[in-house]
Amino acid sequence: MTIRKGFSWRNLLPVLNPGDNSRMDARTLYALSCLLVLVQLPHTLNMPIWVSAVGLSMVGARLALLKNPKHKLLGWLLSPASVTGIAALSALAIKWDYGYIIGRDPCVAFLFILVAAKFAEVRRAIDATLLLCLCAFLLLTQYFYSQTIIAAIVTLPAVVALAYCLAILRDAKSPQNLIFHLKLIGKLLLQGLPIAALLFFVFPRLPGPLWSLPDSSTATTGLSDSMSPGSIGKLSQSDAVAFRVEFDNDTPEPNQLYWRGIVLSQFDGRSWSISDQKFHASATYFNKVQSQLKPSIDYTVTLPAHQQRWLFALDAASSQPKNYNASSRQQATASSTTSRAIGTVFTDGQILARERVTQPLRYRQSSSLSDVIPAVHKPRADTLHLPEKNTRTIRFAKELRARTSSDRAYAKEVLRHFNQQPFRYTLEPQLLGSTPVDEFLFDTREGFCEHYASAFVVLMRAVGIPARIVTGYQGGEINNDYLIVRQSNAHAWAEVYLDGVWQRADPTAAVAPSRVEQGLAAALPNEASVPRLSRQTPGLIRNALLRWDTLNYHWQRLVIDFDDDSQKSFWDAIGLGKAALWQICIIALLITSLWSAWVIGLPRWQRSTLERQERHWNRLVKTLGAHSLTRQHTESAADFLLRACEHWPACTSQFMRLSIAFEQLRFQAIDEGQQKILNTQLLKDIVWLQLTLPFRRRALPAN
Amino acid sequence: MSLLATQRSVSSVDAHTPLSHVKAQLETVLLGKSQQIMLALSCILARGHLLIEDVPGVGKTTLAHALSASLGLDWKRVQFTSDLLPADVVGVSIYNSETRRFEFKPGPVFTSILLADEINRAPAKAQSALLEAMEERQVTVDGVTHPLDEQFFVIATQNPNDQLGAFTLPESQLDRFLIGIQIGYPDAATERKLLEHGDRRAQASQLSKPLGARALGECSDAAQQMHMSSPVFDYIQALILATRNEGVGLSPRAGLALVRLSRSYAYLHERSHVLPEDVRDVFAALAGHRMTGSVKSGHIKAREILDKVAMP
C-alpha cells in the first residue's frame, strides 16, 4: 500500500510532541503536579489564604480525577468551561480582596490561579510544554517578593523539577527511570551553569529597576521623624539590622562611631520633631568641615529598604552620598562632584536621599571624624524655642547658669550633674506624664538616651543657648570585614551651639560611659530586654547568626547589587571601556559557543579525523535519519541504501550511484585520483539529496 | 543496476568461471541450500576442514560426496563407529612374510578429501588420530612419518550431541574445523521437488569435474589476495572483542581464520575486495562451534553477537 505524502511546510518544523491529540500520561501529570506544588508553595507566604487554597486544591482535584477518571462531578468541575468560570470568579474575588487589580500582588495572585486552572483542565499531552512555560514564569515572580539567599534556595527544587519535566517530555515513547533522568538533568544543569554565569555578567542591565516594585512592608522598624520619651528605647529592643558599613581602611574607635540620622529641633514640651526649614549644604559647609583637619575616612554603606528618606553617615559628613560603583570607590573624597549623588547633605548635617529608600541601597560616603558640626548660618529661632511647660527645669537651669562663668562651663556643669547625681541608665524607665523633663530630672531620675538628650537640650535652651537633638545610631559590631549596625544601636544625643559651631554633647556618655565605649549590653548588664544579638556573651547561635549575616551581606553586595554600573566597571577591567551591544553579543556568543563546543562538540572533532568517505557516509546516514529512515546498526550500507530506494523510488539512480561509490571508496583498493573523483561525486549526490528529499514523494510511510 | 554489475565484473578473475560451475552443479544436487554450499566451498578455498552437524537424512553426506566429486579430487569415506581403531583411519604396518619386512598399508586418510561420517560416534582415541592428521597434515606410524596429500580436507559429519551413542568432540578439537554448518530441513517447495524427483545422491558420482587439484590450489592462493580495507578489519576486531565479552571468546587463530574465510567467501562472490557483509555471512559458521562446542547453540549465540556489533 502506498500512502501518499505530499510536501508540507509543517514537515520542516521540529515537532516536540508528535502524538498531537494523545492524552497526557500519568507520569507526566504527576511530575507536573510536583512541579506546580513546588512553585506554588513559596507563594503561599505572600498570598491571601483563599488564593493558595484554591490553587492547591485545583492541583489536588486534577490528581483525583486521574485516579478516578470516571468521576462525574470532578469531570464536570474540571471541564474547560467550569475551570474558566472558577478563574473568572477568582479574578473578581482578587479585585474585591485587594481593592485594585493592576499591581504586583493581585497580578501575581491572578497568575497563580490561572496556572493552577490550566493544570486542572489539561488533558492533552501537548499542553505540557505550555504548562512548563507558565510554571517557569510563576517561579520567577517569587523574586518580586524576596531576593535573599533563602528565596534562591527555595526555588532550586522547583528548577530541578522543571528540568525533570522537560526531560520526561522527550522520552515519552521509551520511559527511563528516575535515576537516569536525575543524572541527565544534573549533567545538563551543570553544563548550563557557566552559560548562566556568563549571561549574569554580560547581559545588559537597565540602569534602574525594570519597574518600581511597590513598598513591600509598611511596618519596618527604624528611626522616625519625631522622638518622644521611650521611642528610642523601644527601637533598641530590636535586633534588626539598620545598615552595614564597609570601611576602606581601619574601623574608627567605638566612641567615634556616631551615625548621624535625623536632626530634631522642634519641641512641644514632650516630643521632638524635625524642623520645617532646611537648607542644602553648600561648598562652604564642606570647606568648613575639611578645615577642621580631622582624619577623613571613606566607607560604603549598605542600607536595607527602610521606606524613609534618611541616609546615615558618621559625623561629620564631608561629601554628598554617591551611588556605589567601582569608580566611585577610587575617587571617594571629591566632595563637590554631584554627578552621581543620590542624596543631599543639609546644613544641619542631616542627609536625605532624593526619594524614599524602597530598594536596598548602597552608597559611598566620606566623613571627617569630628564632634563638631560647622554652622554656616546663625542658629534658627526654633533651636531656642521652649514651651512654658517644664517650669521646674527652667528654674533649675537659670540657677545653675548663674553659678557658672560661661556657656561652655555651664554645659560641662550640666553633664557633671548627670554624672554625679543618682541618675540611672535603663531601657525600662518609669512612664512619664505631661511634663516629662521635669519628672525625669527631679522625680524618677531614670531613663534611656532620649530622656537624657531631651533634658540636656531643654536645660540649654532654658538659658538661651541654641541646642538640638540628633537621633541616629552609635557604635556597631564588627563582623569579619564589615560593621553591622543594628536597631539596638539606636541612640539620641544633643548638640549645642557654642562659639559659632555645633558641639556634640552626649549626656548618656556622662551617665553610662560604657554605652558609648562598649555598647548597650555593657551598659545594661542585667536587663532582659536587651536583644539577644546585642548581648556580649559569645555563643554558638550568635556565631552562626553572624556568619549567616556575612553570607547575606555578600549575596546582596555581589549578586543583587550587580547592576549596570558594576557591569561597566567589569568591561573597564577587561579593557573594553564602553562596550557596545554588538561587542557584548559577540563576546557572549563566542564564549557560549566555545563552551558548547567543548561540552557537546568533541565527538564531532573526533569524527573529523575520519577519512573523507566515512564523513560523507555519516552525513548521508544522518540526512536520511532526519527523514525518519534510520539505519539499523547491523544493516550493511548496500541494504540501507536499497531500503532508501524503496522509500524514494525517484532517487533510485542517486542511491545506487552512492551505494557503488561508497563500496569502492570504503572497501576497495583504488588509487587516489579515483578516490578524489568519487568523493566529489558523492558529495554532490548527498547535497542534492539533502536539498530535494523534503520535496520528494515517498513511496513508503516513514517508520 | 547494470552499472553495479559492470563494476563488479571488472574485478572478476578468470578462474572464477569453473568455480561458479562447481557452485551451480552443487546446487542441483543439494536443493535450496546455496548458502551452505557457498560456506562449504569457501572453507575448502581457505584450506580448512569442514564440520557438518545435523540430524541424519538431511543431506550431509550428499553435500560431502558432491563437493569432492565436483572439485575433481580423490575422496575416501570412513564410517566412524564405536569400535573404530586409529589404525582403521591412518593405516597399519603389516609383516610381509615374503620380503620379511613390515610394510605400511595406508589407511583411508591418504586421500584428498576424507569424508568422516558421524565422527562423534567413534571413541576419543580414533577421533584424535584423525584430528592429528588434520592439524599436521601427516601421520606417523611405527616411527615413520608419512606426509598426506597436499590438498587434504576432512569433511566430518556429526549428529547433534543429544542423540544416543555420541562421543562429544572436545573444544580443542572442534577448533581444528574451520567452520561448522548445519544443513537444516528443506523448505516446502524444495521438499516437494525432492519428493517428486527422488534422491539426488546417485547424481553426485556423475558430476563433471571442472576443477582439478592444481586449479583449486591456484584459486585458494588467489582468494587470499582479496583486498580487505581497514573498516572491515575494524569490524572483524569488534566481532572478536564481542565474543570475548561473552565467556569463551575467539582466539587469535580463529581471528586469522575469519580473515581467510571472509576472503574466500568474497572470492566466491567474484569480487576483488571483502565487504563487511562477507564477514557477517561467514561469522556464525566460523565462531559458533568454537564458542559453545555445539554448532546449533553456537549459531544462535553468534547471531546475538552480530546483532550487537555495528556494521561499518
Side-chain angles (χ1 to χ4, degrees):
Chain A
M1 191 187 85
T2 311
I3 293 177
R4 206 198 134 163
K5 191 155 184 192
F7 169 73
S8 113
W9 285 104
R10 228 182 121 83
N11 295 346
L12 289 182
L13 299 172
V15 183
L16 186 64
N17 255 330
D20 257 0
N21 283 311
S22 59
R23 292 179 76 83
M24 187 179 285
D25 57 320
R27 186 179 63 137
T28 314
L29 211 54
Y30 278 124
L32 279 175
S33 67
C34 282
L35 166 66
L36 205 56
V37 170
L38 281 176
V39 172
Q40 283 177 334
L41 276 183
H43 269 302
T44 53
L45 297 175
N46 311 317
M47 302 270 154
I49 293 168
W50 70 267
V51 174
S52 314
V54 170
L56 285 166
S57 56
M58 280 210 261
V59 177
R62 181 68 186 88
L63 288 183
L65 184 68
L66 176 71
K67 282 246 163 198
N68 189 1
K70 295 274 184 293
H71 199 289
K72 278 231 170 95
L73 179 65
L74 272 179
W76 174 82
L77 204 62
L78 299 184
S79 69
S82 50
V83 163
T84 312
I86 293 173
L89 279 181
S90 303
L92 286 180
I94 287 169
K95 169 86 170 84
W96 176 78
D97 192 337
Y98 286 94
Y100 59 103
I101 195 81
I102 301 300
R104 178 190 63 177
D105 294 338
C107 280
V108 171
F110 189 49
L111 181 70
F112 185 91
I113 295 278
L114 281 187
V115 176
K118 178 66 203 165
F119 179 76
E121 69 92 20
V122 70
R123 299 286 190 279
R124 294 182 309 161
I126 200 164
D127 285 340
T129 324
L130 175 66
L131 257 174
L132 281 185
C133 295
L134 288 174
C135 283
F137 193 67
L138 188 60
L139 185 66
L140 205 67
T141 53
Q142 280 173 31
Y143 293 113
F144 293 171
Y145 295 91
S146 169
Q147 303 181 351
T148 58
I149 301 180
I150 299 273
I153 293 173
V154 160
T155 49
L156 268 186
V159 170
V160 173
L162 195 68
Y164 176 72
C165 289
L166 271 176
I168 62 168
L169 284 189
R170 308 293 312 196
D171 76 338
K173 280 186 185 152
S174 53
Q176 299 278 354
N177 61 0
L178 180 69
I179 302 293
F180 172 85
H181 281 305
L182 286 183
K183 272 185 189 162
L184 178 74
I185 60 178
K187 203 169 131 193
L188 286 176
L189 285 178
L190 283 181
Q191 284 174 348
L193 216 53
I195 296 177
L198 176 79
L199 287 179
F200 174 79
F201 275 115
V202 305
F203 196 83
R205 310 288 171 112
L206 294 173
L210 191 54
W211 54 82
S212 57
L213 293 176
D215 315 344
S216 46
S217 58
T218 43
T220 35
T221 50
L223 291 175
S224 71
D225 56 357
S226 67
M227 183 193 88
S228 49
S231 64
I232 302 274
K234 213 166 147 192
L235 195 58
S236 286
Q237 294 176 20
S238 162
D239 259 341
V241 174
F243 52 90
R244 300 181 178 88
V245 189
E246 239 179 309
F247 289 98
D248 287 6
N249 299 312
D250 294 339
T251 308
E253 294 295 313
N255 61 8
Q256 291 177 308
L257 293 175
Y258 277 88
W259 300 100
R260 194 183 191 82
I262 304 134
V263 178
L264 307 167
S265 43
Q266 287 196 347
F267 187 49
D268 66 356
R270 180 175 172 81
S271 58
W272 296 84
S273 56
I274 206 159
S275 170
D276 298 334
Q277 286 175 307
K278 281 179 170 284
F279 298 96
H280 289 275
S282 58
T284 337
Y285 171 83
F286 290 115
N287 286 341
K288 278 191 174 177
V289 170
Q290 274 158 13
S291 66
Q292 294 178 350
L293 296 176
K294 294 287 172 138
S296 174
I297 55 161
D298 304 317
Y299 48 93
T300 309
V301 180
T302 308
L303 189 65
H306 62 14
Q307 315 299 342
Q308 304 284 4
R309 284 182 63 194
W310 357 114
L311 303 181
F312 300 93
L314 279 179
D315 273 345
S318 61
S319 76
Q320 307 279 16
K322 281 192 284 289
N323 215 339
Y324 176 83
N325 58 40
S327 51
S328 68
R329 207 185 152 90
Q330 280 148 21
Q331 34 121 355
T333 40
S335 55
S336 53
T337 50
T338 50
S339 57
R340 291 215 137 262
I342 50 156
T344 319
V345 178
F346 287 85
T347 46
D348 56 6
Q350 185 174 348
I351 309 176
L352 283 182
R354 286 183 196 280
E355 50 210 33
R356 294 208 294 160
V357 181
T358 54
Q359 302 244 315
L361 181 69
R362 226 162 127 68
Y363 60 91
R364 294 284 298 163
Q365 181 67 46
S366 44
S367 294
S368 289
L369 289 177
S370 161
D371 56 358
V372 170
I373 303 288
V376 279
H377 47 71
K378 284 246 162 212
R380 304 185 51 76
D382 59 1
T383 57
L384 272 172
H385 173 74
L386 208 56
E388 296 295 322
K389 242 183 178 179
N390 298 295
T391 43
R392 277 196 283 170
T393 312
I394 296 169
R395 207 178 319 127
F396 169 74
K398 286 190 169 142
E399 283 167 19
L400 198 63
R401 174 69 184 90
R403 273 190 269 134
T404 51
S405 55
S406 68
D407 286 353
R408 190 171 282 278
Y410 167 70
K412 270 190 183 157
E413 193 56 41
V414 170
L415 288 177
R416 191 182 301 136
H417 174 79
F418 282 133
N419 182 255
Q420 286 177 353
Q421 296 298 313
F423 279 98
R424 199 160 77 84
Y425 182 65
T426 172
L427 255 178
E428 294 148 334
Q430 293 178 40
L431 294 178
L432 301 174
S434 59
T435 53
V437 179
D438 276 0
E439 288 166 42
F440 163 67
L441 267 181
F442 304 107
D443 304 336
T444 66
R445 293 199 169 187
E446 56 179 35
F448 202 54
C449 53
E450 69 267 35
H451 300 88
Y452 291 97
S454 174
F456 184 84
V457 172
V458 171
L459 283 172
M460 290 299 125
R461 287 189 183 181
V463 295
I465 307 172
R468 63 197 182 193
I469 297 262
V470 181
T471 59
Y473 297 89
Q474 204 283 321
E477 179 180 19
I478 293 170
N479 186 19
N480 291 333
D481 50 350
Y482 65 96
L483 188 85
I484 308 177
V485 178
R486 298 179 188 281
Q487 298 299 352
S488 56
N489 291 107
H491 194 50
W493 62 91
E495 274 178 347
V496 264
Y497 185 73
L498 291 173
D499 308 330
V501 292
W502 288 97
Q503 173 72 45
R504 182 201 303 147
D506 189 354
T508 312
V511 182
S514 53
R515 162 69 186 88
V516 176
E517 302 288 339
Q518 291 158 37
L520 185 64
L524 298 170
N526 302 320
E527 287 203 18
S529 48
V530 175
R532 174 194 288 273
L533 279 176
S534 304
R535 290 185 207 167
Q536 284 181 320
T537 45
L540 218 60
I541 298 177
R542 192 183 138 83
N543 253 334
L545 285 172
L546 280 180
R547 284 203 182 186
W548 177 239
D549 192 89
T550 314
L551 197 64
N552 267 311
Y553 174 65
H554 289 300
W555 170 265
Q556 177 74 32
R557 196 167 66 86
L558 297 173
V559 179
I560 309 289
D561 288 348
F562 189 87
D563 55 6
D564 61 325
D565 282 329
S566 328
Q567 220 166 28
K568 270 179 202 145
S569 50
F570 172 73
W571 292 123
D572 266 339
I574 62 167
L576 263 180
K578 260 190 111 170
L581 192 62
W582 65 268
Q583 284 172 316
I584 297 173
C585 287
I586 286 179
I587 290 174
L589 271 178
L590 195 75
I591 299 180
T592 311
S593 48
L594 275 180
W595 171 251
S596 316
W598 189 66
V599 170
I600 59 172
L602 273 186
R604 272 164 219 282
W605 290 345
Q606 281 166 355
R607 194 201 295 158
S608 69
T609 63
L610 289 174
E611 295 193 37
R612 270 180 72 190
Q613 57 265 28
E614 297 295 322
R615 289 210 304 274
H616 290 326
W617 172 244
N618 289 348
R619 186 169 173 184
L620 178 65
V621 170
K622 214 172 155 188
T623 309
L624 294 179
H627 292 89
S628 31
L629 183 75
T630 31
R631 184 194 168 212
Q632 310 300 320
H633 72 287
T634 54
E635 192 174 31
S636 72
D639 291 347
F640 177 56
L641 290 175
L642 220 56
R643 210 147 59 85
C645 288
E646 287 165 11
H647 279 262
W648 292 279
C651 303
T652 303
S653 62
Q654 273 99 353
F655 285 126
M656 290 322 295
R657 217 169 33 226
L658 283 170
S659 178
I660 293 159
F662 272 123
E663 186 177 320
Q664 288 186 313
L665 278 168
R666 298 172 79 207
F667 305 120
Q668 218 166 320
I670 51 174
D671 59 48
E672 262 181 49
Q674 223 175 338
Q675 270 186 23
K676 251 188 190 162
I677 297 167
L678 279 172
N679 264 324
T680 321
Q681 180 210 324
L682 262 186
L683 196 60
K684 262 190 217 157
D685 277 337
I686 292 174
V687 171
W688 175 251
L689 282 176
Q690 278 179 331
L691 291 175
T692 57
L693 272 191
F695 307 96
R696 297 272 183 196
R697 263 172 61 185
R698 264 184 112 129
L700 295 174
N703 45 337
Chain B
M1 285 307 272
S2 62
L3 188 62
L4 189 68
T6 46
Q7 289 278 358
R8 286 197 173 158
S9 64
V10 164
S11 58
S12 66
V13 189
D14 292 345
H16 276 146
T17 331
L19 259 181
S20 45
H21 190 68
V22 170
K23 203 163 74 183
Q25 265 193 1
L26 287 172
E27 276 165 2
T28 63
V29 176
L30 197 67
L31 294 176
K33 296 290 172 194
S34 56
Q35 176 63 13
Q36 280 82 349
I37 290 166
M38 287 300 276
L39 283 170
L41 272 176
S42 28
C43 174
I44 302 285
L45 270 183
R47 299 182 204 274
H49 306 293
L50 172 64
L51 177 69
I52 308 173
E53 180 191 282
D54 222 321
V55 289
V58 290
K60 297 187 297 263
T61 317
T62 312
L63 173 63
H65 195 155
L67 252 180
S68 39
S70 57
L71 286 173
L73 301 174
D74 305 330
W75 70 281
K76 279 177 188 154
R77 175 180 173 169
V78 182
Q79 185 68 41
F80 278 43
T81 54
S82 54
D83 57 354
L84 189 82
L85 294 174
D88 296 335
V89 179
V90 297
V92 67
S93 294
I94 296 172
Y95 182 72
N96 189 332
S97 52
E98 287 174 13
T99 57
R100 299 190 170 193
R101 285 163 83 176
F102 278 95
E103 273 180 10
F104 179 64
K105 288 221 48 142
V109 81
F110 289 88
T111 182
S112 284
I113 292 188
L114 177 70
L115 178 54
D117 240 345
E118 312 209 40
I119 190 172
N120 60 341
R121 282 193 180 269
K125 221 174 182 178
Q127 284 177 357
S128 54
L130 175 68
L131 293 160
E132 188 213 336
M134 286 162 66
E135 183 65 23
E136 316 277 330
R137 290 181 187 268
Q138 63 183 29
V139 288
T140 307
V141 179
D142 296 337
V144 184
T145 302
H146 307 273
L148 295 178
D149 219 53
E150 200 173 312
Q151 305 280 347
F152 172 67
F153 305 104
V154 172
I155 299 176
T157 69
Q158 76 169 1
N159 287 332
N161 291 339
D162 52 358
Q163 295 223 337
L164 285 174
F167 293 90
T168 317
L169 285 171
E171 271 144 16
S172 62
Q173 302 197 332
L174 277 173
D175 195 40
R176 308 246 161 98
F177 289 100
L178 182 62
I179 62 171
I181 57 174
Q182 285 183 302
I183 305 266
Y185 297 114
D187 58 40
T190 317
E191 185 136 38
R192 183 59 177 264
K193 230 174 177 178
L194 191 72
L195 292 172
E196 283 172 359
H197 293 93
D199 194 2
R200 307 276 173 129
R201 199 191 286 202
Q203 295 178 10
S205 46
Q206 296 151 20
L207 290 175
S208 66
K209 301 174 174 60
L211 212 64
R214 234 184 98 197
L216 183 64
E218 280 166 10
C219 286
S220 284
D221 293 341
Q224 296 314 310
Q225 304 302 316
M226 292 276 109
H227 173 74
M228 199 180 253
S229 62
S230 67
V232 182
F233 278 118
D234 289 344
Y235 185 47
I236 288 178
Q237 272 197 301
L239 284 172
I240 292 173
L241 206 66
T243 64
R244 290 179 191 162
N245 295 335
E246 305 262 334
V248 184
L250 292 186
S251 63
R253 183 166 68 188
L256 282 171
L258 182 55
V259 171
R260 239 180 25 241
L261 188 65
S262 310
R263 282 193 161 129
S264 307
Y265 192 81
Y267 181 81
L268 275 178
H269 280 92
E270 308 185 2
R271 264 186 267 115
S272 63
H273 54 277
V274 184
L275 290 180
E277 289 96 312
D278 299 327
V279 180
R280 180 191 62 191
D281 291 349
V282 301
F283 178 73
L286 180 117
H289 63 290
R290 285 183 165 89
M291 286 193 297
T292 60
S294 144
V295 175
K296 195 176 175 189
S297 59
H299 280 197
I300 295 168
K301 197 158 182 190
R303 288 215 184 85
E304 281 170 11
I305 286 169
L306 282 172
D307 282 343
K308 276 181 203 158
V309 178
M311 248 196 165

